[in-house]
Amino acid sequence: MYAALWRVLPGPVPLKALLLVALLAGVVVVCFEWFFPLVASWLPYDETTVGADTGASALLPQLFSHREVL
């Protein structure tokens, strides 16, 4: 598929590379502006399965409580 896209783009290699970068930037902008906000309403951000005092958040105070004096 990428080879077909490369063959379809007009111009010499530097122009093709510039066009590919512009196309990639356009796809990223479209994703962030329209696609991701549309899909975000369907994702379960508020449904967590980890409690507040489990996992790494409970381990961090123990990791940094012992400080070595040089």
Side-chain angles (χ1 to χ4, degrees):
M1 177 170 160
Y2 298 112
L5 180 61
W6 187 258
R7 284 191 302 266
V8 170
L9 289 174
V13 172
L15 180 63
K16 287 182 180 189
L18 184 66
L19 287 173
L20 277 176
V21 169
L23 284 172
L24 179 64
V27 168
V28 169
V29 167
V30 166
C31 285
F32 276 103
E33 290 294 323
W34 293 290
F35 181 70
F36 294 153
L38 176 70
V39 175
S41 64
W42 297 327
L43 296 176
Y45 288 122
D46 297 333
E47 298 175 16
T48 59
T49 57
V50 179
D53 55 345
T54 60
S57 63
L59 186 59
L60 280 176
Q62 296 172 358
L63 289 176
F64 294 109
S65 64
H66 304 291
R67 297 183 182 214
E68 294 183 25
V69 178
L70 297 177

